[in-house]
Amino acid sequence: METTINPSLRGVYTLLKYTFAIVPIVAGLDKFTNILTRWDHYLNPALTGMLPFSGHTFMYLVGIIEIIAGILVLIKPVTGTLIVSAWLVLIALSLITGGNYLDVAVRDLVMAISAFSASRLARLIE
C-alpha cells in the first residue's frame, strides 16, 4: 500500500534535508579556515586538557566528521540526520558543561530537535 505524502510536507522535508546537509559541510570546511568564527574558542577547557593534541588539531577532526555527516544526510537521510542530531546534542552538552556560550548550546539543541524531526520525516518520504 502506497502512502500519499502531502506536497507541503515533502517541501518541508526537502528544506530540512538540504539544510542539515549544507550547514554541517560548511561548518566542517570552516574548521580549516576559521572564516565564520574561531571554532577553538568554543572548546570546553576540560575537554581540551584531556586531548593528546592541540585544540586546533581537534577542530580539524571535528571538521572532517561534520563534512562526512553532511554528505551522509544526502546519501542516507534517515541515518545522516540522526547522526547530525546526536552530534549537535554532544556539542550543546560540551558547551553547557563548560559554562560558556549557553546561547549557542540552546540553539544547537533546537537544531538537534529539527534534525531529529527531519529523520522522522525521511522515514515517511524516502
Side-chain angles (χ1 to χ4, degrees), residues 20-29 31-32 60-77 79-81 83-84 87:
F20 288 110
I22 294 168
V23 170
I25 292 169
V26 169
L29 290 171
K31 300 300 188 288
F32 296 92
Y60 287 156
L61 295 172
V62 167
I64 292 167
I65 292 168
E66 288 174 339
I67 293 165
I68 292 168
I71 293 168
L72 191 56
V73 169
L74 293 172
I75 298 169
K76 296 182 97 41
T79 304
T81 50
I83 290 170
V84 169
W87 187 254

Side-chain angles (χ1 to χ4, degrees), residues 41-96:
H41 288 198
Y42 291 96
L43 278 173
N44 182 329
L47 174 65
T48 306
M50 296 186 314
L51 294 174
F53 38 74
S54 72
H56 194 69
T57 300
F58 181 71
M59 283 293 116
Y60 287 156
L61 295 172
V62 167
I64 292 167
I65 292 168
E66 288 174 339
I67 293 165
I68 292 168
I71 293 168
L72 191 56
V73 169
L74 293 172
I75 298 169
K76 296 182 97 41
V78 174
T79 304
T81 50
L82 283 177
I83 290 170
V84 169
S85 180
W87 187 254
L88 288 163
V89 169
L90 290 173
I91 292 168
L93 291 174
S94 175
L95 293 171
I96 291 167

Side-chain angles (χ1 to χ4, degrees), residues 1-15:
M1 181 172 103
E2 188 173 315
T3 305
T4 304
I5 302 295
N6 180 317
S8 295
L9 188 60
R10 187 175 299 281
V12 169
Y13 165 69
T14 300
L15 180 62

